[in-house]
Amino acid sequence: MTVSDQGPQPNRRVSVSGADELIHHHTELPTTRISQWLDSVLTAIGKTASWLWLVVTGVIIWAVVGRYVFGQGSVLLEEVQWHLAGAGWLLGLAYTLVVDDHVRVDVIHERLSLRTQGWIEFFGLLILLLPFLGLAVYEMVPYAIRSWELGETSQAPAGLSNRWVLKAILALSFALIMIAALSRLFKVTALLFGFPRPIRVESGNDKKEDAN
């Protein structure tokens, strides 16, 4: 598996030693066209969801002022706070996997070669993470649908209606994490097997070029 310096050559795979030219921003894994597209979608969703925290802050200030200045507490505002906070957190989970900023206990993994790390990622994604996410989506979708069918509302007086919305976001978040995991799997297979074809990612205004 080598990357020739002599120009484009068909059917050649990218070597681990040449992978530095193909590094994806935080990950030490090469980027592919499909993973790049998936990551861009997930990044846009994650960054959009991050604005919910600004809304949450505004709602909290509104609730605090209403309670302690005007003496008017609101169950509705309290539930809006945790609904929005939950939605922001859930929709941002896939983004953390895209940028590889999720929590890791990485004592041995970082000391291994890039190829060995790739194999660990490969089996971890294929055997552990993706089956778990598939099961979660399988369970969460009927959970949200059932809530919608029942017209589930808050048990608190004057609370929010349409509780199914938050449960649907829970199902959506697992689906987005699954897409992020698939994107990462494509990067791993590009590193280990040269498929999908890795691409070079240039910074700034430079164009992206094929690695082969």
Side-chain angles (χ1 to χ4, degrees):
M1 292 174 26
T2 60
V3 177
S4 173
D5 294 328
Q6 305 301 320
Q9 293 187 12
N11 302 323
R12 301 298 295 273
R13 294 180 178 177
V14 180
S15 68
V16 174
S17 61
D20 287 344
E21 296 183 5
L22 310 171
I23 292 299
H24 181 271
H25 187 55
H26 289 295
T27 64
E28 296 188 2
L29 294 174
T31 296
T32 68
R33 292 196 183 280
I34 186 171
S35 63
Q36 186 180 57
W37 183 81
L38 293 175
D39 287 354
S40 66
V41 173
L42 295 171
T43 297
I45 293 173
K47 289 184 176 181
T48 301
S50 69
W51 286 98
L52 288 175
W53 295 104
L54 185 61
V55 179
V56 170
T57 302
V59 173
I60 292 173
I61 294 173
W62 184 7
V64 170
V65 171
R67 178 180 294 274
Y68 294 103
V69 176
F70 300 103
Q72 297 179 352
S74 173
V75 174
L76 181 65
L77 287 179
E78 291 179 2
E79 292 199 352
V80 167
Q81 292 173 34
W82 68 262
H83 274 72
L84 290 178
W89 183 78
L90 289 168
L91 293 175
L93 287 175
Y95 175 72
T96 65
L97 183 56
V98 167
V99 297
D100 202 22
D101 275 347
H102 53 296
V103 175
R104 283 179 179 265
V105 181
D106 200 357
V107 178
I108 300 177
H109 182 271
E110 64 181 3
R111 302 176 184 273
L112 303 175
S113 68
L114 181 58
R115 185 172 178 81
T116 302
Q117 291 180 18
W119 280 111
I120 293 173
E121 293 271 353
F122 179 76
F123 287 113
L125 290 167
L126 205 59
I127 298 175
L128 298 176
L129 183 57
L130 284 170
F132 167 76
L133 293 172
L135 180 62
V137 172
Y138 177 79
E139 292 292 338
M140 288 297 103
V141 171
Y143 181 60
I145 293 175
R146 182 63 174 166
S147 177
W148 174 72
E149 291 176 340
L150 293 174
E152 185 179 3
T153 62
S154 172
Q155 296 179 354
L160 288 174
S161 59
N162 299 318
R163 182 62 62 84
W164 65 269
V165 174
L166 188 61
K167 294 183 177 181
I169 291 176
L170 180 60
L172 176 61
S173 70
F174 279 109
L176 293 176
I177 299 171
M178 177 179 286
I179 294 173
L182 287 172
S183 174
R184 190 171 183 86
L185 182 63
F186 289 139
K187 298 172 191 175
V188 173
T189 58
L191 173 68
L192 297 176
F193 313 119
F195 179 83
R197 184 182 182 184
I199 61 173
R200 180 177 290 109
V201 178
E202 304 290 350
S203 60
N205 295 324
D206 295 334
K207 295 182 179 179
K208 302 176 180 65
E209 300 178 357
D210 288 337
N212 292 358

